[in-house]
């Protein structure tokens, strides 16, 4: 699956992402506190979130330096 809005959950900033489903979709809404609780309890979730953020940063760098 895909995710969006995690940067604002972590930073406390305003969400700048938008999404539109192109087919049947199931969404899960996670509050900032809910994410913090999951990150504290499950190292695997923290690793996955960190990897997703690093991938976004890498993709952004590639776009900026093309």
């Amino acid at each position: 699956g895909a995710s969006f809005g995690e940067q604002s959950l972590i930073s406390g900033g305003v969400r700048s992402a938008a999404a539109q489903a192109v087919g049947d979709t199931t969404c899960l809404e996670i509050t900032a506190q809910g994410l913090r609780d999951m990150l504290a309890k499950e190292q695997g979730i923290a690793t996955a979130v960190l990897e997703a953020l690093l991938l976004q940063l890498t993709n952004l760098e590639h776009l900026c330096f093309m």
Side-chain angles (χ1 to χ4, degrees):
S3 65
F4 63 96
E6 65 278 356
Q7 292 179 24
S8 65
L9 283 176
I10 294 168
S11 70
V14 176
R15 184 181 61 82
S16 61
Q20 182 175 356
V22 294
D24 291 343
T25 303
T26 301
C27 295
L28 173 65
E29 179 182 6
I30 302 172
T31 64
Q33 185 60 51
L35 178 62
R36 283 192 292 274
D37 292 346
M38 284 190 289
L39 294 174
K41 293 177 185 174
E42 298 291 337
Q43 182 179 358
I45 293 173
T47 301
V49 169
L50 180 58
E51 288 172 351
L53 292 172
L54 289 172
L55 180 60
Q56 290 175 12
L57 179 60
T58 300
N59 290 338
L60 180 61
E61 287 175 344
H62 287 179
L63 290 173
C64 290
F65 297 109
M66 289 181 92

